[in-house]
Amino acid sequence: MWKSIAGAIVLLTTMIAAQTPPPYILQCRRSDPELNTCLKGALHHLKPYLAQGIPEIKMPSVEPFVMDQLSLQLTGGPQGYRINLKNMQVFGASNFTVKTIKLSEGNKPFEARLTIPKLLIHAKYTSSGVLIIIPASGAGDFDAVFDGVIADVRGRVSFNEKPSGSHMHIDSLDLILSIKKPRLSVSKIFNNNRILTEATNLFLKENGGEVLKALQPQLQKKLSAEFAGISNQLMDNVPLHNFIID
């Protein structure tokens, strides 16, 4: 008899645990007429956990958000000015506000618009070629400040059945950034040659929009892949019924 009681207690405890969402999940009801508002709140609830990371599901912190490298050709010709950015660290990605969200219906993608007050990028910088008639091959630090960022997100999802329940998976994710004000600068380059450093920073200041235009497609592609990976890490470990209940 005691074994039966103990077994029932274990089963009941397991069922309760399966229905109790982890602390980083704020549940919404499918029948809620304000479901989209609830989902916005759930995403905002997740922000501090994204900033800190979630060790139990092996999700790293997004502060900083780490990317490998980007390469940009900024001026034309055989001696065109080219820069490479490596070991990129992006700060501020967790400080987002969800403005709108639209769930996928049928074959249509889901859509969302987020705003981020400020994104900071720090990277190691190497350059080659000629800049404003000055040979500009060197290495140092690159910093970018993007103020007033708007991110428009579109993606498609699928569902996988596991013993824990139905899990959502992001199959594709597209991210379009609109940046109100870019500020770009370099430092510790050309053996701290003041003239070359000032010439490079003058170029970046006066041509910030063009540099951003060259940088943006690669940046968006890499951010899309990284955000999809982080989202899938979360959803692969947390079944759908922990996000939305009937």
Side-chain angles (χ1 to χ4, degrees):
M1 181 181 71
W2 291 111
K3 288 184 178 180
S4 298
I5 293 174
I9 291 173
V10 170
L11 179 60
L12 180 61
T13 302
T14 302
M15 291 174 64
I16 292 173
Q19 295 174 1
T20 303
Y24 46 86
I25 299 298
L26 184 65
Q27 285 185 325
C28 295
R29 289 191 174 275
R30 196 183 305 275
S31 58
D32 187 348
E34 298 295 329
L35 176 58
N36 282 356
T37 300
C38 182
L39 291 173
K40 288 182 189 179
L43 289 170
H44 293 154
H45 175 78
L46 191 58
K47 286 162 57 174
Y49 297 97
L50 292 175
Q52 298 168 8
I54 308 175
E56 57 264 40
I57 61 171
K58 298 181 180 180
M59 179 183 286
S61 167
V62 300
E63 298 292 351
F65 197 75
V66 179
M67 296 190 297
D68 48 8
Q69 65 178 28
L70 295 176
S71 297
L72 307 174
Q73 182 80 36
L74 297 180
T75 61
Q79 296 296 317
Y81 181 52
R82 182 181 183 87
I83 66 173
N84 293 288
L85 304 177
K86 295 183 178 181
N87 302 326
M88 299 178 66
Q89 295 180 311
V90 182
F91 298 86
S94 68
N95 187 25
F96 61 84
T97 299
V98 181
K99 292 297 185 181
T100 62
I101 187 168
K102 183 179 180 181
L103 298 179
S104 58
E105 297 179 0
N107 293 324
K108 295 182 179 179
F110 70 85
E111 299 178 359
R113 169 166 284 191
L114 290 71
T115 60
I116 302 173
K118 182 178 292 186
L119 279 180
L120 307 175
I121 297 178
H122 179 75
K124 290 300 180 182
Y125 160 100
T126 58
S127 65
S128 60
V130 174
L131 178 64
I132 321 175
I133 74 170
I134 301 173
S137 296
D141 292 339
F142 172 89
D143 289 282
V145 180
F146 297 152
D147 292 312
V149 178
I150 298 174
D152 287 309
V153 183
R154 289 166 57 93
R156 296 185 181 277
V157 301
S158 60
F159 298 90
N160 303 315
E161 294 299 325
K162 297 184 177 183
S164 54
S166 181
H167 289 251
M168 189 162 59
H169 183 273
I170 294 180
D171 298 327
S172 65
L173 188 72
D174 294 318
L175 178 70
I176 303 297
L177 296 176
S178 175
I179 298 169
K180 186 176 181 180
K181 184 180 179 182
R183 288 177 283 156
L184 314 173
S185 64
V186 294
S187 59
K188 300 178 183 178
I189 59 172
F190 311 118
N191 295 318
N192 289 319
N193 183 300
R194 183 178 61 83
I195 294 175
L196 289 176
T197 300
E198 289 180 356
T200 303
N201 281 325
L202 178 63
F203 173 84
L204 293 174
K205 180 179 179 180
E206 294 185 345
N207 298 275
E210 291 302 312
V211 175
L212 177 61
K213 186 177 179 180
L215 173 69
Q216 199 161 332
Q218 292 185 64
L219 181 62
Q220 289 173 169
K221 185 176 181 180
K222 288 183 178 291
L223 285 175
S224 295
E226 294 293 340
F227 282 145
I230 288 175
S231 300
N232 284 330
Q233 180 70 15
L234 173 65
M235 293 184 294
D236 189 54
N237 285 275
V238 182
L240 185 59
H241 66 254
N242 273 345
F243 293 98
I244 301 178
I245 57 178
D246 294 326

